Amino acid sequence: MIFTDTIFTASQSLRRNPSRSLLTILGIVIGIAAVIIMLSIGQGAQRYILDQVSSLGSDQMFVQSGSGDSQGGGNPYIAQTLTMKDVAALETNNRFTAVSPVLMSNEAVKNSDGDVVHADVMGVTPDNLLVQPSEVVDGRFVDDDDVAGGSRVAVLGSEIAATLFPNSEPVGQTIKLRTTSFRIIGVQAPQGTQFFSNLDNQVLLPITTMQHELLGVDYVNYIALRAPGDIDDAKDEARFVLRDSHNIDNSNGDLSLDDFQISSQADAIQIIGVVGSVLSALLASIAAISLIVGGIGIMNIMLVSVTERTREIGLRKAIGATYREILQQFLVESILLTLAGGILGILLGVGVTLLQGVIVRHFIAGWSPTVPLFAIILSVVVSSAVGLIFGIYPARSAAKLDPIEALRYE
Amino acid sequence: MLLSLRDITKNYTNGDIVTPVLRGISLDIAAGEFVALMGPSGSGKSTLMHILGLLDQPTSGSYFLDGFDANALTDDASAKMRVQQAGFVFQAFHLLPRQTALQNVMLPLLYAGSKVADRQALATQALVAVGLSDRLNFLPNQLSGGQKQRVAIARALVNNPSVIFADEPTGNLDSVASAQVLELLRSLNRAGKTIVMVTHEADAGAYASRIIRLKDGLLV
């Protein structure tokens, strides 16, 4: 039997019962669509975060509290060990072209009319502009005198400025955080979102003011540094400065002895890569389960089909079909089924991915999930493989039928 | 001899119970014969035809078809042999219900590996030979019983086999249709085809050139 005959015969049998064929492959359609959607969103999210990290610049690094071999300095249970003294120590080393300490909090911001907006409040220094470039469209940014003198001044993001002062000029007016009033000295140009936080809804204060007047602390959450040249070299230099400043005797460079950790963009990209691949593996295994379930559905229907067509199989064998020819016919049938399911699943998955891209872009600028080509190739291969694997048992049971008994089957 | 059987036995085994169906049959059929295998039900005539048609293997004994030792054939080899040497006509027609007469007749050509371009012409020729040139694109359920059986005969003819095996070909037909089908088989035989027909109807047997009677697994 010529292979095109096998394909034709198989597709003829499937078209005989289109609604059943369609229902049979539904599991595969959903499974493949799920794979496509998850891989697309996963990749989209990963690339979005990588874009954000890359936008920071490859010469940037971050100093956070916590010992050098632990991950995640944002942990609130880690003692905050970084202070303005460390900032001063780093500033004296001219290796670092920018030293930008940041203190973060979320506060209720009140205007003179008593309207309240919740916003991210960041304590910064003028160096903030060197690591997070932004434009002040109205007024000015926090300057060295503000930091040195602990001035009660604030710079507003464009959105919060418009919300709190819809009809008047914000600069010169006051806002209240907790019990302290701050004079507005500037409004920033719109910046959009970064790391899922809205930069246009933030309030910037001189970091010293925020430490002493607002939170009553003397630490900073992190220090962003810029250093030209070799980034690993610069990291070592920063460690050296901070160990001195913290009186840590660590001549061997054992990171677990430090009470701070330094990460660069390159580290972040590596971590994101690892997280991304673990996540992809997890999603793929979930999707694999749905494909197994779909495959069992295919096997079930193929077995029913073999039983229904016992006499047809008997006749084909009587007139000279070999074991292999019958096996091929039923295998091709189940592969055609799952392949059709795979193709419908790809279409569904691509459709849903594009749709959610359009929707999510309204909330997160720069979000553009795309369907990776390897996901499509993988789907085609996997769906065919499901058809092959789950088709073998029914096809073998068809091919093994004895022609005489099969012809007598009622 | 085209078909040559020596001391063929066939036992069916069901658990510990062994039922002998054929108990030592020796038989020769020459090319060009029209043989009727006759006997009451349970006499073993269908089993004998299945062995002759390579659909079944004997328990013991030797069988040569056109010089080939049938016992030496694997399942796949006997399938290949059936494509070339045997055409089958069954009591229940066994036409594929959703395929036209023409497609049904083309079916053996698929397994014979005939050229796609030739198939339609060969199948049409076979349907013309059984007098159904005006029913090529009819589905089985649009045909009468006699017409269905003639489509089945066309299907048996299409590969130009050396023997046609007919198992109770008139069993599901009325007497008029039966006479037409048997007439057709006789004319094919006169044109040179070897035919082996199983029947228990004496009327049908009368069309054959030789009658072989079986009883309890033995020739009588």
Side-chain angles (χ1 to χ4, degrees):
Chain A
M1 195 158 170
I2 309 166
F3 191 63
T4 49
D5 290 335
T6 313
I7 298 208
F8 181 75
T9 306
S11 63
Q12 209 174 27
S13 315
L14 295 176
R15 273 175 301 175
R16 199 153 70 181
N17 221 328
S19 57
R20 184 164 88 182
S21 298
L22 209 64
L23 283 173
T24 307
I25 61 175
L26 207 53
I28 302 289
V29 173
I30 292 169
I32 291 290
V35 173
I36 297 271
I37 293 165
M38 292 193 176
L39 286 175
S40 303
I41 293 179
Q43 278 233 324
Q46 195 171 342
R47 198 180 35 215
Y48 173 80
I49 295 169
L50 283 177
D51 281 351
Q52 302 276 313
V53 171
S54 304
S55 71
L56 296 177
S58 60
D59 61 346
Q60 277 202 34
M61 50 195 166
F62 294 88
V63 185
Q64 290 172 301
S65 304
S67 84
D69 58 358
S70 69
Q71 300 282 348
N75 189 336
Y77 301 107
I78 285 177
Q80 299 290 332
T81 55
L82 299 171
T83 63
M84 289 306 283
K85 190 179 142 225
D86 300 324
V87 174
L90 290 163
E91 274 170 346
T92 57
N93 188 320
N94 54 19
R95 177 78 189 256
F96 305 109
T97 54
V99 179
S100 169
V102 175
L103 183 58
M104 299 178 293
S105 179
N106 194 278
E107 301 289 336
V109 182
K110 234 184 279 179
N111 68 4
S112 48
D113 294 338
D115 301 328
V116 175
V117 174
H118 287 270
D120 291 325
V121 177
M122 320 280 275
V124 297
T125 66
D127 269 14
N128 185 258
L129 289 176
L130 299 176
V131 296
Q132 177 75 58
S134 66
E135 206 184 323
V136 175
V137 286
D138 194 6
R140 63 173 178 87
F141 200 70
V142 172
D143 65 18
D144 286 327
D145 290 342
D146 295 328
V147 176
S151 315
R152 291 180 187 171
V153 294
V155 175
L156 300 189
S158 60
E159 197 178 307
I160 188 169
T163 314
L164 289 175
F165 304 101
N167 303 315
S168 55
E169 167 66 33
V171 174
Q173 306 215 43
T174 56
I175 53 169
K176 204 168 192 179
L177 299 171
R178 301 193 185 175
T179 57
T180 310
S181 292
F182 292 83
R183 184 167 49 89
I184 299 165
I185 56 168
V187 175
Q188 290 179 298
Q191 300 176 74
T193 54
Q194 188 177 46
F195 293 116
F196 303 101
S197 78
N198 185 352
L199 298 182
D200 297 330
N201 195 43
Q202 65 182 4
V203 176
L204 305 179
L205 306 177
I207 190 163
T208 47
T209 317
M210 183 161 170
Q211 284 179 323
H212 304 127
E213 304 286 337
L214 192 65
L215 302 182
V217 300
D218 58 5
Y219 62 79
V220 304
N221 286 116
Y222 67 88
I223 304 168
L225 298 174
R226 288 189 90 138
D230 185 67
I231 193 78
D232 289 324
D233 236 31
K235 267 159 102 177
D236 284 343
E237 185 82 28
R239 287 195 181 104
F240 191 74
V241 171
L242 289 169
R243 280 170 198 154
D244 261 4
S245 174
H246 288 188
N247 280 323
I248 295 169
D249 181 12
N250 189 359
S251 49
N252 293 328
D254 179 358
L255 296 183
S256 63
L257 294 175
D258 294 342
D259 60 357
F260 58 87
Q261 54 183 6
I262 303 178
S263 55
S264 64
Q265 184 204 32
D267 299 332
I269 287 173
Q270 198 189 349
I271 292 168
I272 292 163
V274 170
V275 170
S277 40
V278 168
L279 206 67
S280 293
L282 182 78
L283 296 178
S285 46
I286 294 170
I289 292 171
S290 70
L291 286 172
I292 289 172
V293 174
I296 292 168
I298 298 277
M299 182 157 67
N300 184 27
I301 286 298
M302 289 308 293
L303 282 173
V304 170
S305 173
V306 168
T307 309
E308 280 176 353
R309 285 151 66 194
T310 299
R311 293 212 295 179
E312 176 192 326
I313 297 161
L315 174 80
R316 286 177 187 275
K317 291 201 88 170
I319 63 176
T322 58
Y323 177 89
R324 177 180 288 271
E325 283 164 335
I326 299 290
L327 188 79
Q328 268 175 2
Q329 183 191 333
F330 280 86
L331 270 185
V332 168
E333 259 183 52
S334 60
I335 292 171
L336 282 182
L337 266 179
T338 55
L339 196 59
I343 288 165
L344 288 178
I346 288 169
L347 293 178
L348 182 66
V350 169
V352 172
T353 301
L354 294 180
L355 191 68
Q356 69 84 23
V358 169
I359 294 168
V360 174
R361 214 169 297 135
H362 283 292
F363 302 100
I364 303 174
W367 174 262
S368 61
T370 46
V371 180
L373 182 66
F374 87 88
I376 290 177
I377 295 169
L378 183 80
S379 301
V380 170
V381 171
V382 166
S383 58
S384 313
V386 166
L388 182 67
I389 292 164
F390 289 94
I392 283 175
Y393 176 60
R396 275 176 60 92
S397 58
K400 278 195 295 199
L401 284 175
D402 177 66
I404 300 168
E405 281 171 29
L407 281 170
R408 279 193 197 126
Y409 183 84
E410 293 295 331
Chain B
M1 281 300 139
L2 185 59
L3 311 176
S4 179
L5 295 175
R6 287 292 170 274
D7 302 321
I8 290 289
T9 67
K10 179 73 184 178
N11 298 331
Y12 286 112
T13 312
N14 188 357
D16 293 338
I17 305 160
V18 177
T19 315
V21 179
L22 298 178
R23 300 193 291 177
I25 290 189
S26 299
L27 178 65
D28 289 308
I29 296 172
E33 280 196 87
F34 184 171
V35 173
L37 296 177
M38 299 193 67
S41 28
S43 60
K45 57 188 188 300
S46 284
T47 302
L48 181 59
M49 195 207 80
H50 291 150
I51 290 171
L52 287 169
L54 300 175
L55 289 172
D56 208 349
Q57 295 268 357
T59 306
S60 70
S62 67
Y63 171 40
F64 286 84
L65 170 65
D66 200 19
F68 289 98
D69 182 356
N71 289 346
L73 297 173
T74 61
D75 279 0
D76 278 356
S78 58
K80 288 270 170 261
M81 192 76 129
R82 285 200 293 277
V83 175
Q84 306 298 338
Q85 303 274 18
F88 290 94
V89 178
F90 301 99
Q91 179 175 0
F93 321 129
H94 290 310
L95 300 178
L96 300 186
R98 287 176 184 79
Q99 305 210 352
T100 63
L102 192 65
Q103 287 170 324
N104 267 291
V105 176
M106 278 160 65
L107 200 58
L109 297 172
L110 257 64
Y111 296 107
S114 323
K115 287 203 196 99
V116 180
D118 298 344
R119 290 180 195 164
Q120 190 133 353
L122 286 169
T124 307
Q125 212 178 315
L127 281 163
V128 170
V130 299
L132 288 176
S133 51
D134 54 345
R135 294 286 187 273
L136 300 183
N137 295 312
F138 281 51
L139 289 170
N141 61 12
Q142 296 168 311
L143 299 171
S144 71
Q147 288 169 335
K148 282 184 203 169
Q149 198 59 299
R150 282 191 280 158
V151 172
I153 292 170
R155 182 179 63 193
L157 278 175
V158 74
N159 268 338
N160 195 24
S162 42
V163 193
I164 288 180
F165 296 98
D167 191 357
E168 303 275 10
T170 58
N172 284 10
L173 300 179
D174 61 39
S175 57
V176 177
S178 291
Q180 285 174 344
V181 163
L182 290 164
E183 200 57 59
L184 175 60
L185 288 175
R186 181 155 67 186
S187 68
L188 290 172
N189 172 247
R190 283 181 181 154
K193 277 278 168 253
T194 312
I195 297 176
V196 176
M197 175 174 75
V198 167
T199 184
H200 63 272
E201 293 166 42
D203 292 353
Y207 284 81
S209 56
R210 173 154 69 118
I211 291 177
I212 296 171
R213 291 184 193 280
L214 281 92
K215 197 178 177 194
D216 299 329
L218 289 168
L219 297 181
V220 289

